[in-house]
Amino acid sequence: SWKNREAVELATLAWVDWFNHRRRLEPIGNVPPAEAEAAYYRQLDESAMVA
């Protein structure tokens, strides 16, 4: 049970942060989604510089 609405909001924000930044996904190489996304855009920038 939650003490108040603010406690629910903080718990939700903590879960969303974990879900997006720290959980590991096997299909993308056991890296967090945010890390995989950053690597993807870094790769796009590097390929654009070469072209």
Side-chain angles (χ1 to χ4, degrees):
S1 64
W2 304 102
K3 293 182 181 185
N4 54 36
R5 181 178 171 182
E6 184 178 323
V8 173
E9 290 175 358
L10 290 174
T12 301
L13 290 173
W15 183 84
V16 169
D17 178 66
W18 168 83
F19 190 84
N20 290 329
H21 296 104
R22 290 189 297 277
R23 79 183 158 117
R24 308 261 177 207
L25 290 173
E26 187 176 341
I28 61 172
N30 284 321
V31 297
E35 186 178 322
E37 182 180 14
Y40 171 77
Y41 286 113
R42 189 170 43 251
Q43 176 263 328
L44 284 180
D45 289 342
E46 288 171 359
S47 63
M49 287 182 191
V50 173

